Amino acid sequence: MTISALQLGIGSLYGIFLWLAPDAREKPKVTMDDIIAMLPVAFCYAGAHSASVFSFSAGSVSFGQIVKAAEPAFAAVLAQFVYKKPVSKAKWLCLPIVIGGVVLASVNELDFAWSALISACLANMFAAVRGNENKKLMETEGLKDRLGSVGNQFCITSILGFLVSLPFLMIKEGSRFGEFVEAFKTVPALRSNMIASALWFYGYNELSTMTLKKTNAVTQSVANTAKRVIVIVGVALVLGESLDPMKLIGCGIGIGGVFLYSIIDKLVKAKED
């Protein structure tokens, strides 16, 4: 919880720096009502990140990434039944391919842990809700003008997410926060990795929010899944985690399903025409 919360805090400082730096980014002109409207997105943003970090600490990084690759299924269910944004039947039929690849890739996972699985699924749910709620904000007349840009929208979300995380940090790990501060001061690797991971995470999520503006919550989740095969294989190679043929085949099937999802409506339409 400490690491995830402080990563959000460091990223937020970078976003604030862009507001203060000359000619970097124009400040938003939001009201208190706008801030309140953005709180659900911020809560889900913080929840998704914290659950992801816990998942990676409970099991292998590759296993966490594999389970998180099922995020499009969560997004599709929410879009269809909660947000009343129908997903085509052809795209629904692609989701089992993606999920099947996830199952196949994780079937021989040596570092399987129920806590990692549950945390990753919880992260998927938070991420799916965040995507749909973010899209609603982008389509809210007046608010999008006051925000000024997608970058501003994400920065405010990050700041609020950090503030939302603080009470949970203090309740869960507040008694040991002093130990972390001391380690941060004395261990260069912790300090450099914390700052680097926070800035990479901030940049990745800002780009993800820009993708959401041009597409929708389900498509964004599918695109997000496509990058996980690189993470799964790359991390396994760097950290020396298991990368057996079954995992590679599962990754291939999952990413193939993602690609099919992205083009299936065009293929069906072309066939009908």
Side-chain angles (χ1 to χ4, degrees):
M1 193 69 218
T2 300
I3 291 175
S4 64
L6 293 184
Q7 283 176 327
L8 298 183
I10 293 171
S12 298
L13 289 177
Y14 171 72
I16 293 172
F17 166 77
L18 292 180
W19 286 338
L20 300 177
D23 302 321
R25 180 176 288 170
E26 186 177 350
K27 300 181 185 68
K29 300 178 177 63
V30 293
T31 65
M32 182 55 66
D33 287 340
D34 295 334
I35 297 297
I36 293 173
M38 297 178 72
L39 281 175
V41 175
F43 179 80
C44 290
Y45 173 63
H49 182 51
S50 298
S52 296
V53 171
F54 183 78
S55 173
F56 296 148
S57 66
S60 69
V61 174
S62 60
F63 179 65
Q65 292 288 353
I66 288 168
V67 178
K68 280 173 64 60
E71 180 185 325
F74 290 79
V77 170
L78 284 172
Q80 182 83 35
F81 299 108
V82 178
Y83 294 93
K84 307 303 180 184
K85 295 182 178 180
V87 178
S88 68
K89 291 181 180 180
K91 286 190 173 182
W92 272 108
L93 293 174
C94 291
L95 293 179
I97 300 176
V98 178
I99 298 171
V102 172
V103 173
L104 189 62
S106 60
V107 69
N108 290 330
E109 177 60 57
L110 298 178
D111 299 314
F112 177 85
W114 279 108
S115 56
L117 176 64
I118 294 171
S119 298
C121 288
L122 189 61
N124 284 342
M125 181 59 70
F126 276 126
V129 175
R130 181 192 69 186
N132 282 283
E133 289 294 327
N134 240 338
K135 191 65 175 179
K136 283 174 59 178
L137 291 177
M138 292 175 182
E139 296 171 348
T140 302
E141 292 297 330
L143 175 57
K144 60 182 181 181
D145 298 323
R146 291 189 292 274
L147 286 169
S149 68
V150 174
N152 283 342
Q153 179 175 337
F154 175 69
C155 184
I156 295 174
T157 299
S158 182
I159 294 170
L160 293 175
F162 169 63
L163 296 177
V164 166
S165 297
L166 289 179
F168 296 96
L169 185 159
M170 299 310 298
I171 292 172
K172 190 173 186 299
E173 300 173 1
S175 61
R176 302 186 60 188
F177 188 71
E179 298 177 28
F180 179 84
V181 172
E182 188 61 30
F184 187 84
K185 292 179 180 179
T186 57
V187 182
L190 173 62
R191 188 165 55 248
S192 59
N193 287 339
M194 170 72 77
I195 295 173
S197 62
L199 293 178
W200 279 110
F201 180 76
Y202 184 94
Y204 149 69
N205 274 282
E206 183 169 322
L207 289 173
S208 178
T209 306
M210 292 178 180
T211 301
L212 176 63
K213 182 178 181 180
K214 297 180 180 297
T215 57
N216 57 59
V218 180
T219 301
Q220 182 216 27
S221 294
V222 171
N224 195 33
T225 296
K227 67 102 167 57
R228 296 195 186 281
V229 67
I230 300 174
V231 177
I232 291 169
V233 176
V235 168
L237 292 174
V238 172
L239 300 182
E241 296 178 350
S242 61
L243 195 61
D244 55 57
M246 189 68 74
K247 181 181 287 186
L248 291 174
I249 293 172
C251 286
I253 292 174
I255 299 306
V258 169
F259 177 71
L260 181 61
Y261 178 96
S262 67
I263 64 173
I264 190 65
D265 281 346
K266 293 181 180 180
L267 293 177
V268 172
K269 185 178 180 180
K271 186 176 180 180
E272 290 176 348
D273 294 341

